[in-house]
Amino acid sequence: MADNSYHYLLSGGSDTADINQKMFRLSQQPKSWVGKGMRLKRDASLFYEASESTRSFIVSQLEKKNFNFSRFYRWELQEGINSILEKNEDIFLPDFDSYYLLMHLSLENVLKGVWLDKFPEQIGFDKLPNILRTHDLPRLASDISLSLSAQQNRLLSKLVDIFLGYGRYPIKDRVRKPASPHDWDFGERSFDAVCIDCITNPYAVDKKVIDKLFEENLQMAIEAVFENSHERMLSTFDFPEQQGSNQNSDNEDP
């Protein structure tokens, strides 16, 4: 059955409530979750590359001014970056936090799609299962038995922290309780405040870890979701072809 045969879901006799229910269940399909996750990964990469291009440009301009990266005051770096931005109105301060935000959403969608593919009995209800009502990436990874390194687990926790904090809003939902005398929270920090050593990209390591996570840990599970998509649809809906197949089976001689 090809995807275009799903138009049977919207038969002429269906009322609005029935159509809404069918569309909700259609959107529950693991393929829908994973497809959304991969599109978000694409968008995150676009954000990253745009910010990386701007970062490289800023560094090159600072180098032309013989900026001393080995010894400087923070205000000198900020003034240098602001001066470059003022002279180049078509560029903006790099925004790697948006990359982290989109990558969290990407991974959350993919992990939930893989979970539904592993537990298809959870598909087809009128509300999402409680286990999917979470943004906890390490827990979702554990729920699908995804083998992760300590570095990958730390990064997933970091993505959750950014997503629940400064990735979405300029403030967290509560005052941070310090874990040590020097565990300060200075709030949302812009690139010029974070990137003291601008010669290298401080976000590049995390991107490599994320890319490796998709390529080595998730790729087979993602492929399985698309391979199983037809079977998952059949288990959720009653299609005419399925009914015909069942009738033929009933008419066969024992």
Side-chain angles (χ1 to χ4, degrees), residues 30 37 61 79 92 105 124 161 181-182 186:
Q61 294 301 302
E79 283 192 356
F92 302 90
L105 291 170
D161 187 55
H182 300 291
F186 292 105

Side-chain angles (χ1 to χ4, degrees), residues 7-22:
H7 68 271
Y8 288 119
L9 296 175
L10 306 178
S11 58
S14 301
D15 60 22
T16 302
D18 183 52
I19 290 174
N20 288 348
Q21 182 189 62
K22 288 178 178 177

